[in-house]
Amino acid sequence: MKIVLASHNPGKMKEMSAILAAFGVELVLQSDLGMHIEVEETGTTFRENALLKAQAVMKATRMPAISDDSGLMVDALNGAPGVYSARYGGPGLDDPGRVRLLLENMRGQMPRTCRFVSVITCCFPNGDVLSARGECEGTVAFTPMGEGGFGYDPVFFVPPLKKTFAQLTAEEKNAISHRGKALEAFQVKLREYLEKS
Ligand code: IMP
């Protein structure tokens, strides 16, 4: 089955294509269709933003469209940066800049517990919607470690593994990540949905 991806984030694209390919889903990039749809994320929850993105791309392409809305929720910062993870600190910052800002805001803060959250939503041209959520618990590291992944991966420390997400291989990250879990739950729902229809 072919599904259009409602994202331009190269880190997400890589992870979602790899995970969904294993489930027999072929992810089509908007660029393959000659499209580049930008959706304003005006929702206040991951679920709302995921739906906004998938719906807009499904309407424009008339194909099933899948989106991931995700972010890092830090307990000591009352859940920030949360749905604003991609825009934390404003438009002037890149990924390393946002990581630096997070570490500054965490100086002297306890506890350092946090979680990544991902909501995957797929919208079908007939109006049907499938959605799944995944979470991964961790702590905010004191300093960035590792070269892999993207975004906040260098400061997302996984205590049982004693490594940050950026120190894991892509396979190791996908096996435990919020996105990996959400996509696994999603593919179970997708199978049930396809069997019924
Ligand atoms: P959005 O879902 O496009 O609004 O952006 C999600 C943002 O959350 C990304 O730009 C990253 O900053 C952060 N994020 C989400 N998932 C991950 C991840 O797996 N690793 C690191 N950062 C992530």
Side-chain angles (χ1 to χ4, degrees):
M1 155 166 229
K2 286 189 178 184
I3 303 184
V4 192
L5 178 62
S7 172
H8 306 293
N9 179 322
K12 281 189 191 177
M13 273 185 208
K14 216 168 135 197
E15 290 184 9
M16 290 177 75
S17 311
I19 298 169
L20 285 169
F23 302 141
V25 172
E26 187 189 334
L27 216 51
V28 181
L29 302 182
Q30 291 177 46
S31 51
D32 296 341
L33 304 171
M35 290 188 171
H36 187 98
I37 301 152
E38 285 295 344
V39 183
E40 224 191 312
E41 297 186 23
T42 51
T44 54
T45 63
F46 295 113
R47 198 183 164 90
E48 276 171 18
N49 281 336
L51 185 63
L52 281 174
K53 291 188 269 192
Q55 222 157 30
V57 173
M58 178 276 288
K59 281 187 180 151
T61 61
R62 305 307 302 163
M63 285 176 69
I66 191 167
S67 70
D68 156 280
D69 198 64
S70 49
L72 179 66
M73 302 188 74
V74 180
D75 292 326
L77 303 178
N78 298 318
V83 290
Y84 305 105
S85 292
R87 295 167 270 169
Y88 193 44
L93 294 184
D94 55 5
D95 276 350
R98 282 185 280 275
V99 164
R100 273 195 299 275
L101 176 65
L102 176 67
L103 291 181
E104 272 166 35
N105 290 342
M106 282 303 289
R107 203 172 295 146
Q109 298 276 14
M110 286 293 273
R112 297 184 73 88
T113 46
C114 60
R115 66 206 48 78
F116 267 128
V117 178
S118 160
V119 173
I120 299 288
T121 296
C122 185
C123 291
F124 296 87
N126 66 359
D128 289 342
V129 176
L130 294 181
S131 194
R133 181 184 174 102
E135 298 192 7
C136 181
E137 298 287 330
T139 61
V140 180
F142 287 91
T143 182
M145 289 180 287
E147 304 297 326
F150 68 100
Y152 300 92
D153 280 350
V155 287
F156 187 81
F157 187 76
V158 187
L161 301 181
K162 296 190 171 63
K163 285 182 181 173
T164 67
F165 263 3
Q167 292 174 307
L168 302 180
T169 64
E171 291 73 28
E172 286 170 336
K173 178 182 170 184
N174 291 343
I176 58 164
S177 78
H178 50 311
R179 192 164 299 104
K181 287 179 189 163
L183 284 167
E184 179 139 18
F186 167 74
Q187 66 88 23
V188 172
K189 289 187 178 181
L190 180 65
R191 266 193 207 164
E192 284 169 5
Y193 173 76
L194 293 175
E195 274 167 19
K196 270 193 235 141
S197 46

